[in-house]
Amino acid sequence: MTNIADGSAALVLFSGGQDSTVCLAWALSRYDRVETIGFDYGQRHAVELEARQRVAARLRAAFPDWAARLGDDHMLALPALGAISDTSLTRATEIEVGAAGLPTTFVPGRNLLFFTYAAALGWRRGIATLVGGMCETDYSGYPDCRNETLQTLAKAISLGLDKPVGIETPLMYVDKAGTWAMADQLGGKALVELIVDETHTCYLGNRAHRHAWGYGCGTCPACELRAKGWAAWQGAP
Ligand code: ZN
């Protein structure tokens, strides 16, 4: 995590999932102006993109102070990323751990592209702080989620734009239980309930079953992680 940049505005990589929603709340509690960016690369589940709209609308309704800071949402279509990926997120292949030890949901280098596009958009919007929910704790298999990767990328982007750009990753060393705790600290019960009801993380796009921790199939890796984190947070003293 770094604190380069002007400090007054942030652009949050926002997918409508639990992690990026907590990051959005984190940014809204720190920056005067917060904008969001999302990427459509042919995700199998339109449900993810719908979740973005619901989360933003409910944040505005439940948190007037944050509503005043929450600015434009930007949606970028990246069909090229979907075209070159052969993963469970973009094709109807089964989720499993591939030969390289990475889940087949892994999209090679995805976060490098996301942040590079975000930086270019941020340049046009006058925003030099980029915020993302990447985390080393739960997904150590994703090399583009690592702190060193992202801080080195921030340096490359800063050089490429000839302007300091910071990448903030408030969840980098936080596990899923800690993410629930952070939501509670930032927005109390109202934010925790918003995340349970509206965010989406299930790989299978399942919104038929509502569990204590939210909607999902309950058995895919993303659901298991979310449920385990919830249970650990609930059980914490
Ligand atoms: Zn699931």
Side-chain angles (χ1 to χ4, degrees):
M1 290 193 271
T2 61
N3 273 303
I4 315 167
D6 62 6
S8 65
L11 179 61
V12 179
L13 274 61
F14 178 54
S15 69
Q18 176 183 2
D19 292 348
S20 68
T21 298
V22 173
C23 285
L24 179 54
W26 179 89
L28 287 165
S29 70
R30 278 166 180 76
Y31 298 92
D32 296 334
R33 177 167 60 101
V34 176
E35 300 189 5
T36 48
I37 182 170
F39 303 96
D40 182 355
Y41 54 102
Q43 286 104 323
R44 204 167 52 172
H45 314 301
V47 65
E48 281 183 18
L49 303 179
E50 288 162 14
R52 299 176 80 253
Q53 308 298 329
R54 289 196 313 270
V55 169
R58 195 158 149 186
L59 272 177
R60 287 181 202 278
F63 299 94
D65 290 353
W66 290 354
R69 299 171 174 207
L70 183 54
D72 291 352
D73 178 42
H74 310 276
M75 199 69 203
L76 287 188
L78 296 182
L81 193 56
I84 59 176
S85 308
D86 182 18
T87 81
S88 300
L89 289 181
T90 48
R91 298 255 191 100
T93 53
E94 200 176 335
I95 295 170
E96 58 186 356
V97 175
L102 295 166
T104 54
T105 49
F106 175 69
V107 179
R110 183 177 62 170
N111 290 318
L112 306 181
L113 294 166
F114 286 175
F115 273 116
T116 304
Y117 278 105
L121 181 77
W123 193 92
R124 302 298 298 264
R125 304 289 300 172
I127 303 175
T129 299
L130 313 175
V131 181
M134 296 77 202
C135 169
E136 284 192 2
T137 314
D138 289 322
Y139 283 112
S140 55
Y142 289 81
D144 62 337
C145 289
R146 291 177 193 152
N147 191 54
E148 187 180 1
T149 302
L150 297 178
Q151 293 313 318
T152 306
L153 177 65
K155 190 176 175 188
I157 289 172
S158 299
L159 288 168
L161 297 180
D162 198 20
K163 183 179 172 181
V165 170
I167 293 181
E168 295 276 6
T169 53
L171 304 181
M172 182 57 71
Y173 302 111
V174 179
D175 64 14
K176 281 284 179 277
T179 305
W180 286 111
M182 190 184 287
D184 194 25
Q185 284 157 16
L186 288 166
K189 200 175 173 217
L191 184 59
V192 171
E193 284 178 357
L194 185 161
I195 289 169
V196 168
D197 290 342
E198 313 294 358
T199 66
H200 188 82
T201 40
C202 175
Y203 285 153
L204 304 181
N206 185 322
R207 285 194 68 79
H209 306 290
R210 187 193 189 281
H211 311 265
W213 43 267
Y215 288 90
C217 70
T219 53
C220 77
C223 281
E224 279 185 0
L225 205 56
R226 182 164 161 155
K228 254 170 76 179
W230 173 270
W233 177 56
Q234 292 288 299

